[in-house]
Amino acid sequence: KNEVEQSPQNLTAQEGEFITINCSYSVGISALHWLQQHPGGGIVSLFMLSSGKKKHGRLIATINIQEKHSSLHITASHPRDSAVYICAVNTGTASKLTFGTGTRLQVTL
Amino acid sequence: ETGVTQSPTHLIKTRGQQVTLRCSSQSGHNTVSWYQQALGQGPQFIFQYYREEENGRGNFPPRFSGLQFPNYSSELNVNALELDDSALYLCASSLVSLAGTGANVLTFGAGSRLTVL
């Protein structure tokens, strides 16, 4: 069993839909990251959080430390949101991240 | 403010060869970490460099080695290449105030895609 599990693996949505991607982890963490990876490989850091909730534009990330679970929400989804969304956790060394396998999101018109 | 730049972007090698990948960290960052991402998989932590020393290593053999320079740029070297080394190699930089403590936002480069034939 992976230390970081994401669901769903693949997600197709229509423009304007509300999207939720889930991440569960089985280890103690100091922080959880949500990352966005576009075709071609580049990764962008969306959020780093260790408690509560963060919001940036149409993106919202929440974490429940007791339940070892985090969610990434996208409101009013748009085709440009199409990407792979990756959950990763800090489990020790400051920059050592353990990654989930990602959720591939496709938003259609 | 410049981001993280990696070179080369693509390269092809044959089994048994050696490869060096380069990473220039974001201005103001002092820590570089390297990740291997096989096709369809999430990235795997290779190692981290802080103040020119290795500061944490993942489950990779010794033929994966690295360097960090005084300007905080970094190299990843892989010797005796194997077919399974074909992957996207990602570099990420961050600012760490004390090695091994806390968690920091990472800035990733676009990656170097290595194909081993």
Side-chain angles (χ1 to χ4, degrees):
Chain A
K1 189 181 189 309
N2 293 333
E3 292 180 327
V4 181
E5 299 273 358
Q6 286 185 238
S7 64
Q9 287 187 315
N10 294 283
L11 181 56
T12 300
Q14 284 197 316
E15 184 177 12
E17 284 187 10
F18 180 83
I19 288 161
T20 296
I21 299 170
N22 296 299
C23 175
S24 296
Y25 52 93
S26 58
V27 294
I29 70 169
S30 55
L32 182 143
H33 300 250
W34 281 103
L35 308 166
Q36 180 192 56
Q37 186 170 33
H38 280 282
I43 290 180
V44 175
S45 178
L46 300 174
F47 295 104
M48 183 182 77
L49 64 167
S50 54
S51 65
K53 172 180 170 179
K54 286 190 176 181
K55 183 177 190 293
H56 185 256
R58 295 180 295 106
L59 302 178
I60 303 167
T62 64
I63 187 168
N64 184 318
I65 296 294
Q66 287 73 31
E67 294 186 4
K68 294 187 175 176
H69 180 269
S70 176
S71 293
L72 175 68
H73 306 284
I74 305 175
T75 62
S77 60
H78 190 276
R80 65 175 174 268
D81 297 327
S82 298
V84 175
Y85 291 83
I86 304 173
C87 169
V89 298
N90 282 101
T91 58
T93 306
S95 294
K96 179 183 177 181
L97 293 180
T98 301
F99 292 78
T101 53
T103 294
R104 185 173 299 276
L105 171 65
Q106 174 105 20
V107 182
T108 59
L109 292 169
Chain B
E1 178 183 280
T2 58
V4 175
T5 56
Q6 292 188 242
S7 62
T9 54
H10 295 82
L11 70 166
I12 300 172
K13 293 283 189 178
T14 56
R15 276 186 303 175
Q17 285 189 311
Q18 179 264 343
V19 68
T20 296
L21 307 177
R22 295 179 175 84
C23 172
S24 294
S25 59
Q26 179 167 308
S27 176
H29 285 184
N30 59 7
T31 300
V32 172
S33 50
W34 286 91
Y35 300 85
Q36 180 196 65
Q37 186 177 25
L39 200 61
Q41 302 294 316
Q44 299 286 322
F45 175 74
I46 303 175
F47 44 55
Q48 174 193 354
Y49 276 83
Y50 171 74
R51 291 186 175 175
E52 302 178 52
E53 292 194 359
E54 188 179 291
N55 177 42
R57 189 179 182 93
N59 189 25
F60 280 81
R63 59 191 185 82
F64 285 77
S65 64
L67 282 173
Q68 187 180 32
F69 300 100
N71 66 354
Y72 304 119
S73 65
S74 177
E75 286 183 356
L76 165 65
N77 298 291
V78 187
N79 294 321
L81 284 167
E82 301 176 0
L83 297 179
D84 285 349
D85 296 334
S86 295
L88 180 69
Y89 288 84
L90 293 159
C91 165
S93 71
S94 62
L95 177 61
V96 173
S97 57
L98 187 63
T101 63
N104 306 90
V105 175
L106 301 179
T107 302
F108 284 84
S112 294
R113 188 167 298 280
L114 170 65
T115 302
V116 182
L117 301 175

